[in-house]
Structure formats: C-alpha cells, structure tokens
Amino acid sequence: QVQLVESGGGLVQPGGSLRLSCAASGNLFQFNAMAWYRQAPGKQRELVATIATRGSTNYADSVKGRFIISRDNARATVALQMNSLKPEDTAVYYCNSDPSYPSWGQGTQVTVAS
C-alpha cells in the first residue's frame, strides 16, 4: 500500500521561505521520479517540480529560480525548499511520483499573505 505524508506547510509573509517534506512508501519512491504538485482554490492540480531517481530536476516556469526539490534515497523522503514566496504560491502542496500514483496524501497547506 502506497503512503504519502506531506508536512511543513504554514502561513508565511511574501518573500519568506518554507521547507516542505514528504515521506513516501519505499516501493513508490525507489523506482520512480518524485514530484511536488499543488492545487490552489478553484484551480486544477499542477506539477511544480520533479526529481529523477538519479537527481536531475525540472521546475515549472512559475517557480524556477525560487524552489529547490531534493530527495534522500536512503530515507525515502523528498523535500521542497521554497524561497521568495509569493501570494500566488498559496495552495495545498502534495508529493507523488511522476507520473502520479492514483492515491494521494492529505497534502500540506501553504498560505502566503501579509
């Protein structure tokens, strides 16, 4: 059974930083690229950043240069360092494989507001 547990969200002022973390089931994590997704109110879920098993990364244009995705293969965790946050980054953030597994975790809420 796949389990995805996200944490680290919160309320932050514009320009601030947050670090999200995700613990993933070993089987899902070990053989797949992992990714962070987000869903803002009234919008579809979108892909934010991906990291391959060997560490190569890709980012959505909207977060490029501000977010950094990383993975710890020994611990089966994936992190998202978010810097220079903007109000439009407000969303629920989820981790999953890329392409995504059908089951999703609860996500973690990120709110950027003054």
Side-chain angles (χ1 to χ4, degrees), residues 35-103:
W36 283 94
Y37 303 77
R38 67 185 180 187
Q39 187 167 20
K43 295 187 177 181
Q44 289 189 335
R45 188 174 291 162
E46 63 173 345
L47 180 63
V48 174
T50 64
I51 184 164
T53 54
R54 294 186 178 183
S56 60
T57 58
N58 280 289
Y59 298 92
D61 288 343
S62 59
V63 306
K64 201 171 292 184
R66 299 188 297 121
F67 290 10
I68 301 171
I69 188 171
S70 60
R71 65 191 289 160
D72 185 329
N73 290 334
R75 298 184 178 184
T77 59
V78 58
L80 186 68
Q81 177 67 41
M82 305 187 296
N83 302 317
S84 302
L85 283 161
K86 304 175 181 180
E88 51 264 43
D89 295 318
T90 295
V92 179
Y93 284 71
Y94 303 87
C95 72
N96 206 319
S97 57
D98 179 27
S100 61
Y101 187 78
S103 177

